[in-house]
Structure formats: C-alpha cells, structure tokens
Amino acid sequence: MKLNKGKTWWVAGGSLLVVILIIIGVFWFRGHQRQADADAQVTKALKQGQQLDGKIAKHWAQKNVYVTASTTNQAVTALNKTAVKLTQTVDTYRDEAPQAVAKKITQFDAAATKRTQALKRLTRAAKATIAVNALTKPQALKGKTVNDEALIKASATAAKVKKATKLVAASNKTLKQTLTSILTTCTAQLKEREALAAATAKVATAGKLKAGVALEALTAYQAFIKGMTYPKLAAGQADLTAAVAKAIANTNIKGISLTELQRRIFYIYSDGKAADAAYIETNDGLSAFKGDHYQASVWGIYLSGYGLSTRELADFDVAANGDYTLKHGFDTIKQGNVLKDVSAAQLKTVRADVTKGIEPKKRALTAIFPSAKAFYDWALTQVTAPDAAPDELKSNVSAEFSSVDSDDLVTVDAQYDVSFNYSNGPDGDPSIGHFGRIILAKDGTVYSGLPGGVLGQDTSLTMAIMQKQYGDQ
C-alpha cells in the first residue's frame, strides 16, 4: 500500500512534535525537580548551620572570652571544615535560584557571615589557650580558672613561649590579659629553672652530690634553693638538697639551726647532765654570731643572799668549723668541736630550749617541818640555848613582836612561832633563867629574840631555811 506524499509529511511532522513535547516535558520535570532539591538542600543547610552554631557556643566557658577545658585544635578544625562544607553545598544552588530558594540562601549567607566571625574568635582563643597550656603542668588555664600551682614543663623552651605569645596577641582582650600574665610567670620560671640548673651543676653530677665540693658552693646552692620564687621547680631534687644540707652541717656551724648549735654547746657545758638551772643567755647580745664565730654565755639560776639570782658560769667561742674553747673567766676549761663531739643520740638528751633556765622548785615549809615541834627541834640545833625546854609551840598564827628595825609593833603571818626557856649553862647561875623566841614567817624569813622583848631578822637561820627549800634538787 502506498501513502501519498502529503500524508507522509503529516505523519513525520506529528512524530517530531511528539518528540519535542517529550523533550520539553523532560526538561520541565528536571527543572522542577532541581528547584525542589535546591529548596530541600538549602533548608537542610540552614538547619545544620543552626546546629553548628550550637556546637560552637558549647566550646565557650565564657562566651567569646574563655574556651572550655575540653576544647581541642582538632575539634575547632572540624567545626571550620563543617562550616566550609555547608557553604559549598549552598553554593551549588546559588545560580538561577528560584525566589523562595534565593531568600533562604540569603538567610544562610547572613548566618554564615556571623558563623565565620564566631569561628575566627573561637579558633584564635583555642589556639592561644592550648599553646599556653602546653607549656605548663597542670594546665595553667582550665576554662576560665587560672591554676596558680601550674609549673613550666621541662620540655618548654623560650622559643615555645615566644610562639605562644604571638598566638595570644591575636586573641580577645580579656583572654589576652589572662594568658599574658601566665606567660610572664612562665618566662620567670624558665629563668629560675635555668639558674637552678646552673647552681646544681656546681655541686652535683646526674643529680648526685659531687665529692669534695667547697663549702662556698654548697652554701651558695642552699641559699639559692631557700630564695627561690618557685620552689616547686626544685621538688625533683629534694634528695640532693638534703645531701647538701648534711654536707654543710658537717663542716660549718651555720649549716645547722641556731637552736641545735646552742643545744650542742649546752651538752658540752653540762657534760650530758640535765643542769636545769643553767641556760644560754641571749639577752643584750651576750650570745650571738660575731662574724663567722658564735659566742655563747652560759648562766645559771642559783640561791644567793635572800633569794634566787643569776650569774655567769662559762663562755664559749665557737669557730665556723665547729672548733670551740670553753672558758671560765680567763681559765680555759675545755676545747673540742661541737659538730664532732656531740652525737645525734646525745643531742636528743638535751632539752628543747636551752636559752631559758628552770628555777629550782621551792619546797613548802610544812614539807620541811611537818609540825611546830619539828621546827623547834631543828631551830635549837642552830642556836646556843643550854638546857632548853619548850614554852609555847604555835602553828599557822599571826605573830606580833617588837622589832629592832622599827619602833612599831610588827605583825607577820607565821608558819611557826615557838618560845622556850633555857639556863646559863654549866658555868652560870642556875637560879637565873633565860627565854627565847623564834618565828618562821610563811615567806621563809626567820625572826629571833626574847619572847616578850625585841626580835630581829635572823639572817643565818633565814639562809638555812632557804637552803632547805631550794637545796638537794
């Protein structure tokens, strides 16, 4: 069957139109699909951007000032990468975007601009903080709290401090002030650590005290340790510091405490005995360092006159190396070495404070004389009263008498008031009797004389009483 020519063209033209319509439909569908996909992707990017903003905020211990203790450079880098990826995703749909999508892209761009600034602040703060914290142990800045106990690490160097300083310069104002203060401390610790190493090298090798180190070097090291601003830098060489102190103590009196030096001197003076009444007098410069020597004056508390008094007993002159000379007046009593002559065990027997003497205990009068009769019996052994016989023996009374020192009657609180009569003795007239009276006042003073007459203070008996109160201890 044959088609005519006109009909053939009609069929061909219809087929072409169908093809064109299909192609147009495909492009329309794809354009519509792309618009829908752009809207979905940009909407998703907006949501993910908000979530990213929340993650950024969580890295601030104090907003836009201090980062959290858990913030790391890796975490901040990941946040930056996520932000870049979101922007790249949105850029895909930026050209010929429909109005609705273009509006969302504008919203995204506004948020992204703020996010970029937030990430810059976070990145700078994190890098500065982490760089400074890498210099110390423990971390000097944890969140918004400065740890004053932080010490410079052994691995920290001036170059690392300088590098951290550059990062700190780019951080926010408040953080910069905090980190700069920490870096100032780090720099000071670095200098002190270097000085410590130099001082240590003069006395030790590999952390051990060298043999035969001069006293000057030992004392210089010890002085450095004691004067350190950051003593914990030397905590790791405590054994060396102890060894240096021991070496100094073995060669110089200034290597031990003044208290120990005084106790060593006292042991030598007392020959290891208690000598409670003796002491080293430090008032008025009587015992003190005079140049490299220590001069000590030993005094004692003793019964003298009508009571206790003090007097000088001995002088010590101790040289820097411990050699001493013990003198009494101009006489040399003993010589030796305070560092070598007194062992640790002997030193333990000396009382803690030898700069104060211990007064002898005063015995009670009733402990010496339990009764008036006991006092009477003793008193008659001290005076001359032949064939004495007691008259009145009174205890704990108010005694009244005429005194040789006063025209008025004298009244004293008496522990004992005894009177007695006695004869003239074998060569005297037995018909003529004599009377006596002796009063022991509660303060230990003794008065004697005629019972009804004048009494006076009896110095001899008073001293004898004091000897009984303070003696034999």
Side-chain angles (χ1 to χ4, degrees):
M1 180 178 175
K2 292 183 179 179
L3 297 175
N4 60 43
K5 189 175 181 180
K7 191 173 182 179
T8 301
W9 281 107
W10 181 87
V11 172
S15 297
L16 179 61
L17 179 61
V18 170
V19 172
I20 291 171
L21 289 175
I22 289 173
I23 292 172
I24 291 172
V26 169
F27 275 100
W28 178 86
F29 176 77
R30 287 181 177 177
H32 179 76
Q33 188 178 39
R34 184 178 180 185
Q35 291 177 15
D37 183 57
D39 185 73
Q41 292 299 321
V42 172
T43 299
K44 182 180 179 180
L46 277 169
K47 184 176 181 180
Q48 290 177 333
Q50 292 172 349
Q51 293 173 342
L52 180 58
D53 292 339
K55 291 179 180 179
I56 293 171
K58 287 182 179 179
H59 279 282
W60 291 111
Q62 181 177 328
K63 187 177 180 181
N64 297 333
V65 179
Y66 299 110
V67 298
T68 63
S70 60
T71 298
T72 63
N73 282 326
Q74 292 83 351
V76 175
T77 298
L79 293 175
N80 276 291
K81 286 182 178 180
T82 301
V84 170
K85 189 174 181 180
L86 286 176
T87 299
Q88 290 173 342
T89 298
V90 171
D91 285 345
T92 305
Y93 306 101
R94 194 177 296 277
D95 295 337
E96 299 179 3
Q99 185 176 0
V101 175
K103 186 177 180 180
K104 290 181 179 180
I105 290 175
T106 301
Q107 292 176 354
F108 176 87
D109 287 344
T113 299
K114 292 181 180 179
R115 186 176 304 120
T116 299
Q117 294 302 316
L119 281 169
K120 283 182 180 180
R121 285 193 293 266
L122 179 63
T123 301
R124 290 170 180 171
K127 284 185 176 180
T129 303
I130 292 168
V132 171
N133 279 337
L135 299 171
T136 66
K137 186 178 181 180
Q139 292 183 347
L141 181 62
K142 211 167 187 179
K144 54 185 177 180
T145 303
V146 175
N147 187 347
D148 294 330
E149 298 300 314
L151 284 176
I152 196 79
K153 288 181 179 178
S155 59
T157 62
K160 290 180 179 180
V161 172
K162 186 176 180 180
K163 183 177 179 180
T165 301
K166 290 181 179 180
L167 293 173
V168 169
S171 62
N172 65 76
K173 182 179 179 180
T174 302
L175 179 61
K176 185 190 301 183
Q177 290 176 341
T178 301
L179 294 179
T180 298
S181 176
I182 293 172
L183 286 174
T184 299
T185 301
C186 286
T187 300
Q189 290 183 352
L190 269 176
K191 290 181 179 179
E192 189 162 76
R193 189 179 71 185
E194 291 172 359
L196 173 62
T200 302
K202 294 177 181 179
V203 300
T205 301
K208 301 293 183 180
L209 182 63
K210 297 177 183 178
V213 179
L215 178 62
E216 183 179 0
L218 293 172
T219 54
Y221 172 86
Q222 189 178 63
F224 179 85
I225 294 294
K226 290 180 178 179
M228 288 182 71
T229 304
Y230 307 100
K232 287 187 178 180
L233 290 173
Q237 53 193 70
D239 289 344
L240 172 62
T241 301
V244 168
K246 185 176 181 180
I248 293 174
N250 290 336
T251 57
N252 189 280
I253 58 175
K254 289 188 177 180
I256 59 177
S257 68
L258 178 58
T259 298
E260 181 179 337
L261 174 60
Q262 291 169 338
R263 292 174 68 224
R264 285 177 175 274
I265 291 171
F266 193 84
Y267 181 91
I268 292 169
Y269 164 77
S270 65
D271 288 326
K273 299 181 178 66
D276 291 340
Y279 63 97
I280 294 177
E281 179 61 80
T282 57
N283 291 324
D284 301 321
L286 290 177
S287 297
F289 275 101
K290 305 291 175 66
D292 289 335
H293 285 230
Y294 183 76
Q295 295 177 351
S297 180
V298 182
W299 286 57
I301 305 172
Y302 294 96
L303 186 63
S304 176
Y306 294 104
L308 296 176
S309 62
T310 60
R311 69 174 186 270
E312 188 176 26
L313 303 174
D315 287 308
F316 274 83
D317 182 81
V318 186
N321 66 354
D323 289 343
Y324 72 86
T325 298
L326 167 60
K327 287 186 175 183
H328 180 66
F330 294 102
D331 298 325
T332 297
I333 308 300
K334 190 187 298 185
Q335 290 181 316
N337 187 288
V338 296
L339 298 174
K340 299 176 182 178
D341 296 350
V342 183
S343 68
Q346 291 171 330
L347 189 62
K348 288 181 179 180
T349 66
V350 183
R351 65 178 186 263
D353 185 359
V354 295
T355 63
K356 296 179 177 63
I358 302 173
E359 289 188 1
K361 293 181 180 179
K362 188 176 182 180
R363 295 174 62 198
L365 294 174
T366 52
I368 302 169
F369 307 113
S371 65
K373 178 65 165 57
F375 172 66
Y376 168 79
D377 289 341
W378 172 82
L380 286 184
T381 65
Q382 306 298 308
V383 298
T384 301
D387 304 320
D391 180 25
E392 290 185 287
L393 305 180
K394 295 183 284 186
S395 302
N396 199 27
V397 295
S398 179
E400 185 178 82
F401 57 89
S402 296
S403 172
V404 295
D405 299 317
S406 174
D407 294 333
D408 301 321
L409 288 176
V410 175
T411 303
V412 297
D413 287 332
Q415 186 63 54
Y416 300 118
D417 181 358
V418 300
S419 59
F420 53 91
N421 54 66
Y422 60 96
S423 69
N424 279 330
D427 298 328
D429 185 347
S431 64
I432 300 176
H434 292 276
F435 299 91
R437 184 183 181 188
I438 302 175
I439 298 171
L440 175 58
K442 289 186 175 181
D443 65 1
T445 305
V446 178
Y447 302 89
S448 64
L450 297 176
V454 179
L455 275 68
Q457 183 173 329
D458 194 316
T459 303
S460 177
L461 290 184
T462 299
M463 281 298 298
I465 292 293
M466 293 186 70
Q467 288 288 352
K468 285 186 172 294
Q469 286 186 292
Y470 292 107
D472 301 326
Q473 294 187 48

